């Protein structure tokens, strides 16, 4: 008989025995498996060099076992599996350069015609680089020619490409890629199939505070105030627990519930050997450990490095970590899912791998601590654990203040500091963050308003005034095409009525034309799981020219469950998160900076994309709905916050859930300090009342 040896079997000598119906035969045969090369790509590359991929069989998957040269120039091995080797060559000259491969000291026969030639016309040329990083969500942009998808590093850390064309590329670094990083770092850009780009330049990382949220609160204190920024140095402290799963299958003292399956072991991924993997640990499992004998300390540092397997569309919510029962979450807006798992490993069939590695610090003084962690999400998602480290921190050199009064820090990572607001006076207070006694600069807005009558809102993010009764908010809609308009108080909902899925037969545009003088600073609405539509702003100075989403200048795209940014019909970015499956639960905001006319996009209060384009006034609201029966719900324009005068009544908007939504029965009653606040609008999610000011 004959048999075929799998390509994933490493080169070496093996004994072969035949198995029949009666069992294994007594005779055995010796066979030798040799490494082989099937193809080498690309065949043409820029003189600046690039990444070469060698496809074949019999490789060990250990980088150090292989050496490669291209035309005599060393090609450094980046990573390898049983069926491939990827290496980087820094220069190539001339035509038909031979590729030589040695595996475990033995030369591997070259495949027929597998040579590499240099061509200057293939060289990616960067003409301009925009790479000043002030926030974890800032992108690096490069313009030029012969650009495209590929691989970008900044100071040696990968910068994940989010959008690419032949003339422009954007990338963004995960937060763990520059925790505490400042200064200037070199950009290296490899374009797939073409080579390294010229003139990429450097990226500059600015450490400091960007903004705070919430911006409005009570003078009585006790609120969680988040200070957003970049480059905060998280102390590691003295290790009281440290586990690496780089070798062996032991759990290192971590308890696993429910019990791990019998085949539980470690597996190899591109990001390293890990505990668990595909078919072994998943979203149901929780790992816990009680850490004892912790020396005197004021804070605990926690660093759990894990991989989530089976992405990149991110059906899970993130990594949850509990410290003595208090839950902290690392969400997908703080990491990326573009790292591949080795195709030959037990980790799982070359699925994408999301790596969470964001250390944080929380207050803690007890001699013991119970640490627990696990994925938050849906069935089928696998978990692999790389390492854990818990540290005892004697002190942190950061301090937060609100109006000069200490705001005790309750949580800190490289991009966020959360403190508990102190008791302060009724005023607009400056929020500061100091390191070693020196204040870090604030690049946007860092104030906390406790003035009586300040706008009430529960939305996370900058705090413009929501549309309420009396504002220009009863939006009328025109240019409607197969769209039904309903109103709930001052909010509008658009629903496609035509039983057809197409971008060309479901549209609406606001009759109102908003000028800059109107004080409009954005629009807020709800994103619902399972629908397809685009909504946002367009310039009102021109008539609608197309029956499609391309007519919207600044659009949020609700792509079933993806949060996507489109501008003038062009893809800009994913929001690296999922739309909730719990009904219309996600609040979207498209905000316009009144000072610069720059547009930013928020989902549930966190900014995910800052446009490089400026809004051109006047503006209208514009909708394009693809899927039948899809809705864009609770549409509310936002206007600049105005300080109430002593004689003016104050409109309060109370946000929540399950409010009674029938005004006629007058069942909704609101009082403020015992003073009646007559209700003017009541819906399930919002109640508006007008508080008389004597």
């Amino acid at each position: 008989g004959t048999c075929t040896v799998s390509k994933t079997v490493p080169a070496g000598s093996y004994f072969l025995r035949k198995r029949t119906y009666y069992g294994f035969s007594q005779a055995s045969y010796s066979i030798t498996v040799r490494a082989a090369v099937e193809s080498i790509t690309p065949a043409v590359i820029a003189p600046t060099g690039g990444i070469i991929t060698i496809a074949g069989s019999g490789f060990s998957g250990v980088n150090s076992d292989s050496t490669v040269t291209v035309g005599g120039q060393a090609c450094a091995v980046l990573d390898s599996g049983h069926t491939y080797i990827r290496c980087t060559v820094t220069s190539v000259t001339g035509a038909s350069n031979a590729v030589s491969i040695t595996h475990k000291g033995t030369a591997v026969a070259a495949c027929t015609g597998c040579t590499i030639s240099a061509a200057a016309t293939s060289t990616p040329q960067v003409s301009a680089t925009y790479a000043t990083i002030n926030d974890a969500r800032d992108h690096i942009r490069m313009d030029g020619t012969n650009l495209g998808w590929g691989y970008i590093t900044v100071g040696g850390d990968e910068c994940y490409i989010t959008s690419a064309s032949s003339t422009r590329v954007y990338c963004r670094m995960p937060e763990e890629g520059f925790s505490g990083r400042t200064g200037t770092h070199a950009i290296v850009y490899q374009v797939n199939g073409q080579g390294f780009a010229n003139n990429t330049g450097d990226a500059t990382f600015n450490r400091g505070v960007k903004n705070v949220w919430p911006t409005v609160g009570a003078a009585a204190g006790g609120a969680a105030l988040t200070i957003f920024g970049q480059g905060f140095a998280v102390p590691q402290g003295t290790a009281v627990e440290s586990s690496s799963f780089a070798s062996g299958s032991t759990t290192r003292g971590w308890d696993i519930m429910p019990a791990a399956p019998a085949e539980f072991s470690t597996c190899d991924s591109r990001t390293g050997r890990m505990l668990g993997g595909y078919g072994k640990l998943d979203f149901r499992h929780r790992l816990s450990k009680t850490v004892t004998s912790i020396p005197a300390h004021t804070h605990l540092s926690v660093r759990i490095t894990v991989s989530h397997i089976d992405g990149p569309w991110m059906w899970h919510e993130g990594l949850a970590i509990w410290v003595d029962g208090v839950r902290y979450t690392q969400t997908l807006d703080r990491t990326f899912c573009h790292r591949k798992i080795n195709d030959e490993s037990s980790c799982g069939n070359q699925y994408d791998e999301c790596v969470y590695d964001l250390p944080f610090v929380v207050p803690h003084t007890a001699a013991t601590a119970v640490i627990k962690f696990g994925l938050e999400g849906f069935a089928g998602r696998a978990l692999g654990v790389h390492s854990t480290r818990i540290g005892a921190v004697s002190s942190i050199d950061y301090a937060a203040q609100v109006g000069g009064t200490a705001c005790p820090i309750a949580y800190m990572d490289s991009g966020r500091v959360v403190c508990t607001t102190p008791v302060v006076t009724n005023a607009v207070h400056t929020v500061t963050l100091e390191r070693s006694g020196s204040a870090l600069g604030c690049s946007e807005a860092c104030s906390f308003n406790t003035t009586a009558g300040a706008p009430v809102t529960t939305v996370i993010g900058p705090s413009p005034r929501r549309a309420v009764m009396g504002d220009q908010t009863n939006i009328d809609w025109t240019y409607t095409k197969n769209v039904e308009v309903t109103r709930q108080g001052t909010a509008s909902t658009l629903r496609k009525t035509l039983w057809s899925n197409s971008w060309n037969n479901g549209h609406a545009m606001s009759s109102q034309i908003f000028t800059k003088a109107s004080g409009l600073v954005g629009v807020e609405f709800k994103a619902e799981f399972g629908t397809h539509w685009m909504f946002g702003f367009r310039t009102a100075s021109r008539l609608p020219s197309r029956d499609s989403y391309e007519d919207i200048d600044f659009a949020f795209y609700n792509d079933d469950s993806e949060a996507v940014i489109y501008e003038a019909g062009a893809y800009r970015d994913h929001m690296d998160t999922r739309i909730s499956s719990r009904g219309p639960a996600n609040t979207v905001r498209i905000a316009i900076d009144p000072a610069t006319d720059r547009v930013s996009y928020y989902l549930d209060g966190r900014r995910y994309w800052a446009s490089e384009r400026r809004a051109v006034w006047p503006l209208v609201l514009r909708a394009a709905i693809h899927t039948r029966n899809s809705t864009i719900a609770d549409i509310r324009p936002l206007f600049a916050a105005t300080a109430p005068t002593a004689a003016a009544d104050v409109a309060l908007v109370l946000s929540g859930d399950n409010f009674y939504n029938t005004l006629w029965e007058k069942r909704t009653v609101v009082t403020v300090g015992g003073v009646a606040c007559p209700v003017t609008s009541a819906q399930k999610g919002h109640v508006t009342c007008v508080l008389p000011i004597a």
Side-chain angles (χ1 to χ4, degrees), residues 435-451:
R435 185 182 185 189
S436 301
S438 298
L440 302 179
C442 178
S443 61
E444 290 186 0
C446 294
S447 62
F448 186 64
N449 185 1
T450 59
T451 304

PDB file of all heavy atoms in Angstrom, residues 435-451:
ATOM      1  N   ARG A 435       2.954  63.950  38.429  1.00  0.00           N
ATOM      2  CA  ARG A 435       3.901  62.861  38.638  1.00  0.00           C
ATOM      3  C   ARG A 435       5.115  63.439  39.339  1.00  0.00           C
ATOM      4  O   ARG A 435       5.737  64.379  38.836  1.00  0.00           O
ATOM      5  CB  ARG A 435       4.322  62.204  37.333  1.00  0.00           C
ATOM      6  CG  ARG A 435       5.220  60.997  37.574  1.00  0.00           C
ATOM      7  CD  ARG A 435       5.703  60.342  36.307  1.00  0.00           C
ATOM      8  NE  ARG A 435       6.453  59.139  36.637  1.00  0.00           N
ATOM      9  CZ  ARG A 435       7.149  58.425  35.761  1.00  0.00           C
ATOM     10  NH1 ARG A 435       7.177  58.799  34.479  1.00  0.00           N
ATOM     11  NH2 ARG A 435       7.801  57.346  36.143  1.00  0.00           N
ATOM     12  N   SER A 436       5.410  62.870  40.486  1.00  0.00           N
ATOM     13  CA  SER A 436       6.534  63.346  41.311  1.00  0.00           C
ATOM     14  C   SER A 436       6.437  64.841  41.564  1.00  0.00           C
ATOM     15  O   SER A 436       7.435  65.566  41.550  1.00  0.00           O
ATOM     16  CB  SER A 436       7.865  63.012  40.638  1.00  0.00           C
ATOM     17  OG  SER A 436       7.996  61.616  40.443  1.00  0.00           O
ATOM     18  N   GLY A 437       5.198  65.323  41.774  1.00  0.00           N
ATOM     19  CA  GLY A 437       4.985  66.720  42.118  1.00  0.00           C
ATOM     20  C   GLY A 437       4.881  67.665  40.950  1.00  0.00           C
ATOM     21  O   GLY A 437       4.578  68.845  41.138  1.00  0.00           O
ATOM     22  N   SER A 438       5.117  67.184  39.722  1.00  0.00           N
ATOM     23  CA  SER A 438       5.035  68.041  38.538  1.00  0.00           C
ATOM     24  C   SER A 438       3.775  67.708  37.750  1.00  0.00           C
ATOM     25  O   SER A 438       3.513  66.540  37.442  1.00  0.00           O
ATOM     26  CB  SER A 438       6.266  67.846  37.646  1.00  0.00           C
ATOM     27  OG  SER A 438       7.443  68.209  38.331  1.00  0.00           O
ATOM     28  N   ALA A 439       3.005  68.749  37.442  1.00  0.00           N
ATOM     29  CA  ALA A 439       1.742  68.549  36.730  1.00  0.00           C
ATOM     30  C   ALA A 439       2.001  68.161  35.283  1.00  0.00           C
ATOM     31  O   ALA A 439       2.877  68.724  34.612  1.00  0.00           O
ATOM     32  CB  ALA A 439       0.902  69.815  36.800  1.00  0.00           C
ATOM     33  N   LEU A 440       1.236  67.175  34.792  1.00  0.00           N
ATOM     34  CA  LEU A 440       1.281  66.802  33.380  1.00  0.00           C
ATOM     35  C   LEU A 440       0.325  67.700  32.614  1.00  0.00           C
ATOM     36  O   LEU A 440      -0.778  67.978  33.070  1.00  0.00           O
ATOM     37  CB  LEU A 440       0.882  65.333  33.201  1.00  0.00           C
ATOM     38  CG  LEU A 440       1.722  64.303  33.964  1.00  0.00           C
ATOM     39  CD1 LEU A 440       1.186  62.900  33.718  1.00  0.00           C
ATOM     40  CD2 LEU A 440       3.178  64.386  33.562  1.00  0.00           C
ATOM     41  N   GLY A 441       0.737  68.152  31.455  1.00  0.00           N
ATOM     42  CA  GLY A 441      -0.088  69.058  30.671  1.00  0.00           C
ATOM     43  C   GLY A 441      -1.359  68.404  30.173  1.00  0.00           C
ATOM     44  O   GLY A 441      -1.430  67.196  29.970  1.00  0.00           O
ATOM     45  N   CYS A 442      -2.401  69.209  29.965  1.00  0.00           N
ATOM     46  CA  CYS A 442      -3.683  68.733  29.435  1.00  0.00           C
ATOM     47  C   CYS A 442      -3.853  69.306  28.037  1.00  0.00           C
ATOM     48  O   CYS A 442      -3.824  70.525  27.845  1.00  0.00           O
ATOM     49  CB  CYS A 442      -4.823  69.181  30.343  1.00  0.00           C
ATOM     50  SG  CYS A 442      -6.463  68.701  29.742  1.00  0.00           S
ATOM     51  N   SER A 443      -4.033  68.426  27.030  1.00  0.00           N
ATOM     52  CA  SER A 443      -4.060  68.884  25.641  1.00  0.00           C
ATOM     53  C   SER A 443      -5.445  69.303  25.168  1.00  0.00           C
ATOM     54  O   SER A 443      -5.565  69.993  24.158  1.00  0.00           O
ATOM     55  CB  SER A 443      -3.528  67.779  24.718  1.00  0.00           C
ATOM     56  OG  SER A 443      -4.328  66.615  24.806  1.00  0.00           O
ATOM     57  N   GLU A 444      -6.512  68.869  25.872  1.00  0.00           N
ATOM     58  CA  GLU A 444      -7.852  69.243  25.423  1.00  0.00           C
ATOM     59  C   GLU A 444      -8.587  70.002  26.524  1.00  0.00           C
ATOM     60  O   GLU A 444      -8.400  71.194  26.677  1.00  0.00           O
ATOM     61  CB  GLU A 444      -8.632  68.004  24.975  1.00  0.00           C
ATOM     62  CG  GLU A 444      -8.105  67.409  23.677  1.00  0.00           C
ATOM     63  CD  GLU A 444      -8.959  66.281  23.165  1.00  0.00           C
ATOM     64  OE1 GLU A 444      -9.977  65.949  23.804  1.00  0.00           O
ATOM     65  OE2 GLU A 444      -8.614  65.710  22.111  1.00  0.00           O
ATOM     66  N   ALA A 445      -9.444  69.311  27.281  1.00  0.00           N
ATOM     67  CA  ALA A 445     -10.230  69.973  28.331  1.00  0.00           C
ATOM     68  C   ALA A 445     -10.179  69.135  29.592  1.00  0.00           C
ATOM     69  O   ALA A 445     -10.506  67.954  29.562  1.00  0.00           O
ATOM     70  CB  ALA A 445     -11.668  70.161  27.878  1.00  0.00           C
ATOM     71  N   CYS A 446      -9.778  69.755  30.692  1.00  0.00           N
ATOM     72  CA  CYS A 446      -9.647  69.044  31.960  1.00  0.00           C
ATOM     73  C   CYS A 446     -10.306  69.846  33.070  1.00  0.00           C
ATOM     74  O   CYS A 446      -9.625  70.446  33.920  1.00  0.00           O
ATOM     75  CB  CYS A 446      -8.175  68.783  32.283  1.00  0.00           C
ATOM     76  SG  CYS A 446      -7.360  67.652  31.129  1.00  0.00           S
ATOM     77  N   SER A 447     -11.627  69.901  33.060  1.00  0.00           N
ATOM     78  CA  SER A 447     -12.353  70.618  34.103  1.00  0.00           C
ATOM     79  C   SER A 447     -13.524  69.773  34.573  1.00  0.00           C
ATOM     80  O   SER A 447     -14.030  68.909  33.848  1.00  0.00           O
ATOM     81  CB  SER A 447     -12.851  71.970  33.596  1.00  0.00           C
ATOM     82  OG  SER A 447     -13.767  71.805  32.526  1.00  0.00           O
ATOM     83  N   PHE A 448     -13.951  70.031  35.805  1.00  0.00           N
ATOM     84  CA  PHE A 448     -15.047  69.308  36.436  1.00  0.00           C
ATOM     85  C   PHE A 448     -16.001  70.349  37.000  1.00  0.00           C
ATOM     86  O   PHE A 448     -15.645  71.102  37.914  1.00  0.00           O
ATOM     87  CB  PHE A 448     -14.514  68.393  37.527  1.00  0.00           C
ATOM     88  CG  PHE A 448     -15.548  67.494  38.153  1.00  0.00           C
ATOM     89  CD1 PHE A 448     -16.193  66.525  37.396  1.00  0.00           C
ATOM     90  CD2 PHE A 448     -15.876  67.597  39.501  1.00  0.00           C
ATOM     91  CE1 PHE A 448     -17.147  65.687  37.960  1.00  0.00           C
ATOM     92  CE2 PHE A 448     -16.813  66.766  40.075  1.00  0.00           C
ATOM     93  CZ  PHE A 448     -17.453  65.808  39.302  1.00  0.00           C
ATOM     94  N   ASN A 449     -17.209  70.410  36.458  1.00  0.00           N
ATOM     95  CA  ASN A 449     -18.170  71.463  36.757  1.00  0.00           C
ATOM     96  C   ASN A 449     -19.175  70.980  37.802  1.00  0.00           C
ATOM     97  O   ASN A 449     -19.950  70.059  37.548  1.00  0.00           O
ATOM     98  CB  ASN A 449     -18.884  71.870  35.464  1.00  0.00           C
ATOM     99  CG  ASN A 449     -19.824  73.043  35.670  1.00  0.00           C
ATOM    100  OD1 ASN A 449     -19.945  73.576  36.762  1.00  0.00           O
ATOM    101  ND2 ASN A 449     -20.486  73.448  34.597  1.00  0.00           N
ATOM    102  N   THR A 450     -19.147  71.591  38.967  1.00  0.00           N
ATOM    103  CA  THR A 450     -20.113  71.256  40.016  1.00  0.00           C
ATOM    104  C   THR A 450     -21.097  72.391  40.259  1.00  0.00           C
ATOM    105  O   THR A 450     -21.779  72.424  41.279  1.00  0.00           O
ATOM    106  CB  THR A 450     -19.387  70.928  41.331  1.00  0.00           C
ATOM    107  OG1 THR A 450     -18.594  72.064  41.728  1.00  0.00           O
ATOM    108  CG2 THR A 450     -18.478  69.727  41.165  1.00  0.00           C
ATOM    109  N   THR A 451     -21.182  73.345  39.312  1.00  0.00           N
ATOM    110  CA  THR A 451     -22.100  74.469  39.457  1.00  0.00           C
ATOM    111  C   THR A 451     -23.533  73.978  39.533  1.00  0.00           C
ATOM    112  O   THR A 451     -23.946  73.122  38.749  1.00  0.00           O
ATOM    113  CB  THR A 451     -21.960  75.432  38.257  1.00  0.00           C
ATOM    114  OG1 THR A 451     -20.597  75.833  38.151  1.00  0.00           O
ATOM    115  CG2 THR A 451     -22.834  76.655  38.434  1.00  0.00           C
TER     116      THR A 451
END
